[in-house]
Amino acid sequence: MKIAIVGGGVSGLAAGCLLAEAGFFVSVYERKNRVGKKLLATGNGRANVSNEDLSAGHWHSESPLPFDPGTYFSAEARREFFDALGIDLVQEDRGKLYPSTLQARTVLNALRRRLFAAGGEEVVETCIDAIEQSKGGFRLVSGDSSFFADKVIVAAGGMAMPQSGSDGKGHGLLKSFGHKKTRTFPGISALLCESPYLKHLNGTKIQGVVTLFRNGEKIASEGGEILLAKDGISGPPVLDLARAVGERKGDYAVAFPMLNHLEQRPEYRNILEGRSYLPLAAKDFLDGILSNKWVHVVLKECSLNGEEPMDQLAWEEREHLLNLLFAFTLPVIGVRGFDYAQVTCGGMALEGFSSDLESKNAPGLYAAGEVLDVDGDCGGYNIHWALASAHRIARAIIKSAQS
Ligand SMILES: Cc1cc2nc3c(=O)[nH]c(=O)nc-3n(C[C@H](O)[C@H](O)[C@H](O)COP(=O)(O)OP(=O)(O)OC[C@H]3O[C@@H](n4cnc5c(N)ncnc54)[C@H](O)[C@@H]3O)c2cc1C
């Protein structure tokens, strides 16, 4: 039986390995000149492939997921899969799992090796433009060429990082079978903010907790390294907030401290308040606790020239200054687009697929990975979903061939 896989990303390659090993003739069609371009960029080139914490709240969709990726592709199933690839995983902060080489290419090489060893093939520089039902199977059209397959897995990714080859074309392939697409928007991305200070603060890092507000109401907060850019804010704790901003319209703002590691200093507000009654010039008071760039921002925001003795400030002025140190607020005007995002929120609606991700409209057609309306949190959850969905489909195809 011939299986065609559209897309040589992590889900396509994983499904390809498993099916080729089970004796199917597998062709992985990839539009780019090589497979796995996005995989190589993941985790800053290190591929954060999964996470120790596989609890259900880490994956999102408009509809209930067809299966729980953490229970189905459990720690044990994951270990078995990576063992078979000859890859050991190591854990870093926040439970993130990486190949022990800390190199994404280790994962890509191992997937390709396993696919070839089992007799599977890659057909690169071949963009699948259309899929049609034909003679009890499917005809895949690419320019003037066409290929026949008994079953097809669309693993063409979403719309994030289109330069890697996934630009939403997979959605079109599935739409042609009557499948619906949910609203798509960029996830795991930087937040665009408006502030006269951002140009000046570009490159500044803060270790702290960032809180997201919608219409003045606190909706999420995350801790870690916050990074300021000239047009907004990013860094690991910020990236996961993008989903909430894209999901619902509203007036958004983020607030974070200018002071590092406040979690280690629970009494710090009292300490600074006490110190603020000393006859110190405001600029000197700030110089001991903030970097230069922040001193400038605080003085400007408080309309001070810096020479004012702290003990002479009015109560309101002192409060305003101290509040600013603990919560600098920026209005959020949007999310950086798909060119910069790590994942697509939304995709092909899950209702159109069985619990084994087989199309309800065209039996024998499957969809894996990011092309579907499933996105995971930052921390390895998207590759985990790509692997879990590929594994699920491969197991279903193997089972159906046996019965
Ligand atoms: C910069 C960056 C860093 C990331 N880091 C992480 C991380 O560390 N951990 C994590 O879990 N997730 C990470 N992600 C997300 C993760 O990479 C994706 O969710 C995952 O790779 C999706 O896998 P996929 O197989 O579904 O799709 P993709 O990896 O996007 O692969 C789809 C493939 O299909 C090909 N294709 C598309 N259309 C066609 C067509 N019509 N014909 C032929 N081929 C086609 C594309 O060229 C592409 O190669 C990151 C994403 C980015 C952009």
Side-chain angles (χ1 to χ4, degrees):
M1 188 185 288
K2 175 155 179 169
I3 314 280
I5 299 178
V6 182
V10 65
S11 62
L13 291 171
C17 293
L18 296 167
L19 288 164
E21 272 170 5
F24 295 92
F25 187 75
V26 173
S27 301
V28 177
Y29 296 97
E30 168 55 50
R31 70 197 299 186
K32 289 286 185 183
N33 60 354
R34 53 188 290 198
V35 299
K37 282 204 174 196
K38 187 183 288 180
L39 176 55
L40 289 179
T42 60
N44 285 326
R46 301 171 356 140
N48 171 200
V49 292
S50 186
N51 199 289
E52 269 302 300
D53 172 11
L54 293 179
S55 51
H58 292 290
W59 292 275
H60 316 280
S61 170
E62 271 190 16
S63 327
L65 264 59
F67 59 91
D68 173 17
T71 312
Y72 172 71
F73 199 57
S74 61
E76 203 183 326
R78 178 179 65 203
R79 188 174 38 77
E80 225 172 77
F81 179 81
F82 280 99
D83 270 354
L85 287 176
I87 291 177
D88 303 307
L89 299 182
V90 292
Q91 188 179 332
E92 292 208 342
D93 62 303
R94 300 209 281 176
K96 293 178 190 165
L97 297 173
Y98 296 84
S100 61
T101 57
L102 301 181
Q103 290 190 332
R105 69 160 190 84
T106 306
V107 182
L108 179 58
N109 290 350
L111 286 168
R112 297 184 70 212
R113 245 192 333 264
R114 197 170 161 193
L115 174 72
F116 295 143
E121 65 168 8
E122 285 173 3
V123 187
V124 294
E125 293 185 316
T126 302
C127 181
I128 301 301
D129 302 315
I131 306 171
E132 296 155 6
Q133 277 174 313
S134 159
K135 297 181 200 151
F138 297 88
R139 196 168 79 93
L140 289 82
V141 181
S142 174
D144 296 337
S145 313
S146 68
F147 314 94
F148 178 82
D150 297 289
K151 290 183 192 287
V152 177
I153 304 172
V154 177
M159 298 157 78
M161 199 184 171
Q163 63 275 28
S164 70
S166 17
D167 62 357
K169 192 148 179 127
H171 297 149
L173 296 175
L174 291 164
K175 272 190 195 167
S176 71
F177 286 91
H179 285 283
K180 300 236 175 328
K181 182 168 82 78
T182 65
R183 189 169 78 82
T184 48
F185 52 95
I188 313 189
S189 193
L191 299 179
L192 298 170
C193 300
E194 223 164 28
S195 162
Y197 301 115
L198 280 175
K199 248 192 195 145
H200 169 76
L201 290 169
N202 187 22
T204 304
K205 291 177 182 170
I206 292 289
Q207 289 288 344
V209 173
V210 55
T211 303
L212 180 69
F213 296 87
R214 184 196 292 130
N215 303 329
E217 196 185 315
K218 176 176 163 177
I219 55 165
S221 62
E222 296 279 343
E225 188 175 75
I226 303 159
L227 175 65
L228 298 184
K230 57 182 185 307
D231 60 350
I233 126 169
S234 69
V238 174
L239 298 178
D240 271 337
L241 303 177
R243 185 174 217 294
V245 175
E247 196 175 29
R248 259 174 71 181
K249 283 201 164 55
D251 283 332
Y252 287 92
V254 278
F256 54 91
M258 298 176 179
L259 305 155
N260 288 307
H261 287 303
L262 284 180
E263 77 288 353
Q264 297 172 17
R265 307 187 277 175
E267 295 299 319
Y268 202 48
R269 166 98 196 193
N270 291 341
I271 293 168
L272 286 188
E273 191 149 7
R275 205 185 291 165
S276 75
Y277 283 95
L278 296 175
L280 264 176
K283 68 174 173 31
D284 296 335
F285 168 78
L286 294 172
D287 192 50
I289 55 176
L290 293 176
S291 68
N292 279 350
K293 285 188 173 183
W294 282 119
V295 173
H296 166 82
V297 173
V298 175
L299 292 177
K300 197 111 184 139
E301 271 292 281
C302 296
S303 308
L304 298 171
N305 67 28
E307 299 305 332
E308 298 86 346
M310 287 297 292
D311 61 340
Q312 313 257 313
L313 296 186
W315 181 85
E316 297 79 17
E317 288 179 309
R318 175 175 292 102
E319 277 300 293
H320 180 44
L321 186 147
L322 289 172
N323 288 344
L324 207 54
L325 296 176
F326 285 82
F328 181 61
T329 303
L330 291 171
V332 175
I333 54 168
V335 173
R336 242 188 237 163
F338 282 116
D339 283 357
Y340 303 93
Q342 292 191 16
V343 76
T344 312
C345 301
M348 299 318 292
L350 296 172
E351 287 82 1
F353 296 86
S354 73
S355 62
D356 287 328
L357 304 176
E358 184 172 16
S359 165
K360 289 179 184 168
N361 303 345
L365 177 73
Y366 295 79
E370 202 178 311
V371 75
L372 287 164
D373 172 23
V374 178
D375 62 284
D377 289 341
C378 190
Y381 294 101
N382 285 299
I383 294 183
H384 187 95
W385 164 249
L387 295 175
S389 54
H391 192 280
R392 183 88 175 189
I393 293 169
R395 198 198 58 167
I397 293 177
I398 294 165
K399 212 167 149 201
S400 78
Q402 285 164 349
S403 59

